[in-house]
């Protein structure tokens, strides 16, 4: 292996990538525009739906319950203190739910009036469509209104017999949130950032990796390259470093896109949950470790990508393999998205991809254990070495390079 040859190959490949405007636009420019746009659209859509569910709840009465007495009871007693709930008249209540004209239909028990007068419980059936998000989401709002009505009725009954209504509440609950705003922000980031990072790193080197080996095979420029003075190892390492560099450039531009979306719409990254990303503090040593672990994961992916591109017979076959690699990388990310930082078992810090996700979750959750981080770092180094050895072994085998 010759360092000068590695540098020549590396600079040559970087220049070729930079000259390819299509690759630059699709891998660097587009993420900076698409990622903030998608974040704002997704977050805005979720927020708008939540607001619509909470602020505009339409209800109707079943045909059997649609009497003046029940309408007055609903309007003047049950929903009187809930301006976001409106009672409307429809010809076919069940069809109105299906057509999204109303969210919920109330069906009163036939003898509700006599039971109410005798202080006995009666049933109000809530008819809704679970397949419609707004219909299902309105159940809790209607139930809250009915429970408030229940409370008023009970208080009146107790007052009639001279009993203080405080007897109904032997225990009062007070909430005391020990997490400050910064820690709450980090908990949101610990769910979103690790999986996005894995996806970006696994996808960032796909375009150059596909082109630098499989693409050269199709262009018939690979065989002349092998006849140069550079050894197979130097050629591989040069291409490998170019893929690694381009992968991280792609990740950095994507993160810049996320930051741009956060600046434009601070609630975009939280997907409409209402939590705002605010100032937080993480030890510098922990930040350095997770960034190094993420870098090593990117280097591991670069090794796997160039190995798959080497094995592939054509550009299209390489694209298929590398697309599948992205899907494989996403699985552990989605599998652990709801896992809490203090629940991460030790073995996850030595499993590929999971070790990076676990390290980020731990640090963002401010549950930092430097022994675990060092373990994740050491395992990441091992995986970089393994991926490079596999790529190099394939690169040196003629029956792999020129298989047909």
């Amino acid at each position: 292996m010759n360092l000068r040859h590695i540098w020549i190959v590396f600079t040559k490949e970087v220049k070729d990538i930079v000259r390819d405007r299509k690759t630059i636009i699709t891998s660097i420019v587009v993420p900076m525009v698409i990622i903030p746009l998608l974040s704002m659209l997704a977050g805005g859509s979720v927020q708008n739906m939540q607001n619509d569910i909470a602020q505009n709840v339409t209800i109707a009465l079943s045909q059997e319950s649609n009497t003046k007495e029940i309408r007055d009871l609903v309007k003047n007693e049950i929903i009187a203190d809930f301006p976001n709930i409106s009672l409307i008249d429809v010809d076919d209540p069940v069809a109105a739910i299906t057509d999204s004209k109303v969210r919920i239909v109330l069906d009163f028990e036939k003898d509700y009036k006599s039971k109410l007068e005798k202080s006995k419980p009666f049933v109000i059936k809530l008819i809704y469509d679970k397949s419609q998000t707004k219909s299902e989401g309105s159940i809790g709002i209607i139930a809250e209104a009915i429970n408030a009505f229940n409370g008023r009725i009970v208080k009146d009954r107790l007052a009639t017999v001279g009993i203080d209504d405080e007897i109904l509440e032997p225990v009062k609950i007070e909430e005391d949130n020990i997490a400050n705003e910064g820690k709450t922000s980090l908990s949101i980031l610990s769910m979103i950032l690790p999986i996005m990072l894995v996806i970006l790193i696994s996808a960032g080197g796909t375009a150059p990796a596909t082109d630098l080996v499989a693409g050269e095979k199709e262009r018939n420029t690979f065989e002349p390259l092998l006849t140069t003075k550079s050894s197979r190892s130097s050629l591989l390492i040069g291409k490998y470093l170019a893929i690694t560099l381009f992968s991280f450039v792609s990740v950095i531009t994507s993160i810049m896109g996320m930051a741009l979306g956060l600046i434009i719409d601070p609630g975009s990254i939280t997907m409409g949950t209402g939590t705002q990303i605010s100032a937080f503090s993480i030890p510098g040593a922990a930040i350095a470790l997770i960034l190094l672990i993420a870098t090593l994961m990117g280097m591991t992916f670069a090794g796997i990508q160039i190995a798959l591109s080497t094995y592939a017979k054509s550009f299209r076959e390489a694209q298929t393999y590398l697309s599948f690699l992205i899907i494989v990388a996403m699985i552990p990310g989605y599998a652990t998205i709801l896992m809490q930082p203090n629940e991460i078992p030790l073995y996850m810090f030595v499993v590929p991809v999971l070790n990076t996700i676990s390290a980020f979750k731990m640090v963002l959750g401010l549950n930092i254990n430097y022994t675990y981080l060092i373990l994740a770092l050491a395992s990441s180094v091992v995986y970089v070495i393994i991926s490079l050895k596999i790529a190099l072994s394939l690169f040196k085998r003629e029956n792999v390079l020129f298989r047909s």
Side-chain angles (χ1 to χ4, degrees):
M1 193 169 7
N2 186 302
L3 292 179
R4 181 172 172 274
H5 291 169
I6 291 173
W7 176 252
I8 292 171
V9 174
F10 169 72
T11 53
K12 176 259 183 189
E13 299 298 358
V14 170
K15 287 178 182 177
D16 286 344
I17 293 171
V18 172
R19 290 191 188 112
D20 187 356
R21 292 183 180 180
K22 188 185 298 183
T23 302
I24 295 297
I25 291 172
T26 56
S27 300
I28 296 178
V29 178
V30 171
M32 291 190 68
V33 177
I34 293 297
I35 288 179
L37 183 62
L38 289 178
S39 297
M40 287 186 289
L41 288 175
S45 297
V46 173
Q47 188 67 57
N48 290 338
M49 178 174 286
Q50 290 175 342
N51 291 338
D52 191 28
I53 289 174
Q55 297 174 7
N56 185 27
V57 180
T58 53
I59 63 173
L61 295 171
S62 64
Q63 292 178 339
E64 295 78 11
S65 301
N66 195 7
T67 64
K68 185 179 183 306
E69 287 182 347
I70 294 179
R71 282 199 302 272
D72 290 342
L73 175 66
V74 172
K75 286 182 179 179
N76 302 328
E77 297 290 341
I78 296 179
I79 66 172
D81 297 330
F82 292 81
N84 57 323
I85 304 176
S86 57
L87 177 65
I88 63 175
D89 290 323
V90 293
D91 295 329
D92 188 341
V94 175
I97 297 176
T98 305
D99 297 337
S100 299
K101 293 179 181 179
V102 298
R103 308 267 185 85
I104 309 287
V105 170
L106 279 60
D107 184 31
F108 281 66
E109 195 173 355
K110 289 183 179 180
D111 56 346
Y112 84 95
K113 189 175 182 181
S114 62
K115 286 187 175 181
L116 184 61
E117 291 172 350
K118 295 176 182 178
S119 299
K120 292 183 178 180
F122 66 91
V123 175
I124 301 178
K125 184 185 294 183
L126 303 182
I127 304 170
Y128 72 104
D129 186 346
K130 193 171 183 178
S131 66
Q132 296 188 28
T133 304
K134 292 182 180 180
S135 179
E136 184 181 18
S138 300
I139 285 288
I141 299 171
I142 302 301
E144 183 184 355
I146 294 174
N147 287 333
F149 171 71
N150 282 338
R152 290 194 299 271
I153 295 295
V154 171
K155 286 182 180 181
D156 291 342
R157 290 174 180 175
L158 290 175
T160 301
V161 296
I163 299 175
D164 192 333
D165 61 22
E166 286 190 354
I167 195 174
L168 298 175
E169 194 177 14
V171 178
K172 291 186 177 182
I173 299 173
E174 290 185 359
E175 296 183 4
D176 185 11
N177 180 17
I178 63 173
N180 56 34
E181 196 171 339
K183 191 170 183 179
T184 303
S185 301
L186 285 173
S187 69
I188 296 294
L189 287 177
S190 70
M191 288 193 297
I192 299 171
L193 191 58
I195 185 172
M196 292 196 69
L197 192 69
V198 168
I199 293 171
L200 291 173
I201 290 177
S202 63
T206 298
T210 306
D211 185 65
L212 293 189
V213 183
E216 287 211 47
K217 289 181 183 181
E218 284 200 356
R219 294 192 298 271
N220 296 319
T221 59
F222 193 60
E223 288 185 32
L225 183 63
L226 296 177
T227 62
T228 61
K229 292 182 179 180
S230 301
S231 66
R232 296 282 178 94
S233 300
S234 298
L235 292 173
L236 175 72
I237 298 299
K239 290 177 178 290
Y240 166 78
L241 292 176
I243 294 169
T244 302
L245 174 64
F246 193 82
S247 174
F248 281 103
V249 168
S250 178
V251 171
I252 290 169
T253 55
S254 299
I255 292 174
M256 289 171 62
M258 290 170 57
L260 180 62
L262 187 60
I263 293 170
I264 297 172
D265 181 7
S268 63
I269 198 170
T270 60
M271 299 298 289
T273 59
T275 303
Q276 298 296 322
I277 303 299
S278 59
F280 48 81
S281 178
I282 300 175
I287 293 175
L289 282 172
I290 60 172
L291 290 178
L292 188 54
I293 292 168
T295 301
L296 290 170
M297 184 180 73
M299 294 172 69
T300 301
F301 272 109
I304 297 171
Q305 287 163 346
I306 199 169
L308 291 173
S309 185
T310 300
Y311 180 76
K313 291 185 290 186
S314 63
F315 188 90
R316 187 184 297 272
E317 186 178 335
Q319 283 183 319
T320 302
Y321 293 152
L322 294 175
S323 299
F324 182 72
L325 178 64
I326 297 172
I327 296 172
V328 171
M330 290 169 61
I331 294 173
Y334 281 107
T336 57
I337 192 168
L338 296 178
M339 183 172 286
Q340 298 302 305
N342 57 352
E343 297 174 351
I344 301 173
L346 176 62
Y347 76 87
M348 287 180 60
F349 289 87
V350 296
V351 178
V353 181
L354 284 177
N355 57 359
T356 304
I357 294 172
S358 301
F360 268 86
K361 279 184 172 290
M362 173 184 284
V363 172
L364 293 175
L366 296 180
N367 189 41
I368 301 169
N369 184 320
Y370 285 102
T371 302
Y372 284 15
L373 291 177
I374 295 297
L375 187 62
L377 181 66
S379 62
S380 297
V381 171
V382 171
Y383 295 130
V384 171
I385 294 170
I386 292 173
S387 66
L388 271 176
K389 281 186 173 294
I390 293 172
L392 189 57
S393 67
L394 292 174
F395 209 76
K396 289 183 175 180
R397 292 168 59 183
E398 301 289 337
N399 60 333
V400 173
L401 284 179
F402 305 109
R403 69 189 188 94
S404 59

